[in-house]
Amino acid sequence: MKSLFLTMIKDHMYSKRYAKSTIEAYLFWIASYIRFNNMQHPSSMGDTQVESYLNHLVNSQNVAQGTKAQALNALSFLYKEIIKSPLSLSLDFVKSERPRKLPVVLTQTEVSALFKHCVAKHYLPCGLLYGSGMRLMEVLRLRVHDIDFDYSCIRIWDGKGGKNRVVTLAVELIPQLRSQIQLVDSYLQLDLKNPLYSGAYMPHLLRKKYPNHNKQLGWQYLFSSHKSGPVDLSGLKFVQSRGYLIAA
């Protein structure tokens, strides 16, 4: 049985527009903290238990500084936003002594070698990752209308932390992007012939505001799956819209 307390925290974080990865990480540390303290409810605990748990992570688990910081952030969120009793700013716990890993950055020669071995269907997404500095999920969630050829830019909506931003578009990728959009359009034309096709997913109640936009080219995923599958909703079967999956 799922914890109602953790489910409540998850729903609260979703309402605050936290990223899915952040929600999963915070829930992991909160659940670990509760198990460490013999399943006591966090409202009955405080600074002392948090200090003991952080010391356990460093002394027994030998976690890195960044990992311990993430656990502390999760517990700080728990007590500030959920319990409504913020932790003390003067917590006393052992600091991690594991050295930070130096970041590894590919040279131009290594990047060129990487693209030479990149298969054709993955070349464009990888080119956007490298040329525009986008995160992986940002690339996979791109819609056709996010590509602005006139200004040579890409608009990213609901990125990390629910923030929007604009990144540059490498002009070398424009011919491939136009070809990819033509491919997406061909998928859409096939889907539109199916009377059960439900259209692309639209967030934040935009489906109700613009009921016909989900079947327009601009709202289709740029890197959509090559297939769609049935999904059962209230006893009625609809054709699921193509998700942002690159064909394997």
Side-chain angles (χ1 to χ4, degrees):
M1 180 178 179
K2 294 183 178 180
S3 168
L4 296 179
F5 180 67
L6 294 180
T7 300
M8 180 269 292
I9 296 176
K10 180 176 70 173
D11 293 339
H12 177 77
M13 294 186 73
Y14 270 120
S15 68
K16 296 294 185 180
R17 307 292 295 280
Y18 279 80
K20 181 180 178 181
S21 58
T22 302
I23 295 175
E24 292 175 348
Y26 277 27
L27 291 178
F28 171 83
W29 291 117
I30 293 172
S32 175
Y33 167 69
I34 294 174
R35 289 194 298 269
F36 175 78
N37 288 284
N38 299 317
M39 306 305 292
Q40 294 185 64
H41 195 279
S43 61
S44 65
M45 300 184 287
D47 293 350
T48 302
Q49 289 77 11
V50 171
E51 290 173 354
S52 297
Y53 176 66
L54 295 176
N55 287 333
H56 165 73
L57 292 180
V58 175
N59 296 328
S60 300
Q61 302 297 323
N62 193 30
V63 300
Q65 180 69 24
T67 303
K68 188 209 65 181
Q70 186 184 67
L72 176 58
N73 289 339
L75 297 180
S76 296
F77 169 85
L78 170 66
Y79 279 95
K80 180 180 179 181
E81 300 292 335
I82 305 300
I83 307 300
K84 304 299 183 182
S85 178
L87 296 173
S88 171
L89 296 178
S90 57
L91 290 176
D92 184 19
F93 51 84
V94 179
K95 295 186 177 180
S96 175
E97 295 182 356
R98 283 184 58 183
R100 291 180 177 269
K101 293 183 179 180
L102 293 176
V104 178
V105 181
L106 298 179
T107 64
Q108 291 185 352
T109 303
E110 291 172 332
V111 171
S112 299
L114 173 65
F115 279 110
K116 288 179 181 179
H117 290 82
C118 188
V119 296
K121 63 185 177 183
H122 294 159
Y123 185 90
L124 181 56
C126 291
L128 292 174
L129 287 171
Y130 177 73
S132 299
M134 300 171 63
R135 299 180 177 91
L136 177 59
M137 292 308 299
E138 291 173 344
V139 170
L140 297 182
R141 290 172 179 166
L142 282 176
R143 311 282 183 134
V144 172
H145 63 194
D146 295 334
I147 310 299
D148 192 330
F149 292 108
D150 294 331
Y151 288 95
S152 295
C153 67
I154 301 175
R155 290 178 173 82
I156 300 173
W157 308 98
D158 284 337
K160 187 174 182 180
K163 297 178 181 179
N164 306 326
R165 74 181 196 277
V166 178
V167 298
T168 57
L169 169 61
V171 294
E172 295 84 357
L173 298 176
I174 289 179
Q176 294 187 51
L177 282 169
R178 293 191 183 277
S179 297
Q180 181 67 23
I181 291 175
Q182 291 178 359
L183 176 62
V184 175
D185 190 27
S186 66
Y187 286 156
L188 177 61
Q189 298 309 313
L190 290 174
D191 289 335
L192 291 176
K193 294 179 181 179
N194 190 333
L196 297 180
Y197 177 59
S198 60
Y201 166 76
M202 296 182 65
H204 314 315
L205 297 180
L206 288 177
R207 180 184 292 268
K208 293 183 178 180
K209 187 175 182 179
Y210 305 108
N212 298 321
H213 282 40
N214 60 345
K215 296 182 180 180
Q216 295 181 1
L217 177 61
W219 275 100
Q220 307 307 307
Y221 286 105
L222 182 64
F223 298 109
S224 56
S225 173
H226 67 289
K227 60 182 179 179
S228 56
V231 58
D232 194 350
L233 297 175
S234 303
L236 299 176
K237 284 196 173 182
F238 296 88
V239 174
Q240 187 178 16
S241 60
R242 301 174 188 272
Y244 49 82
L245 299 175
I246 300 176

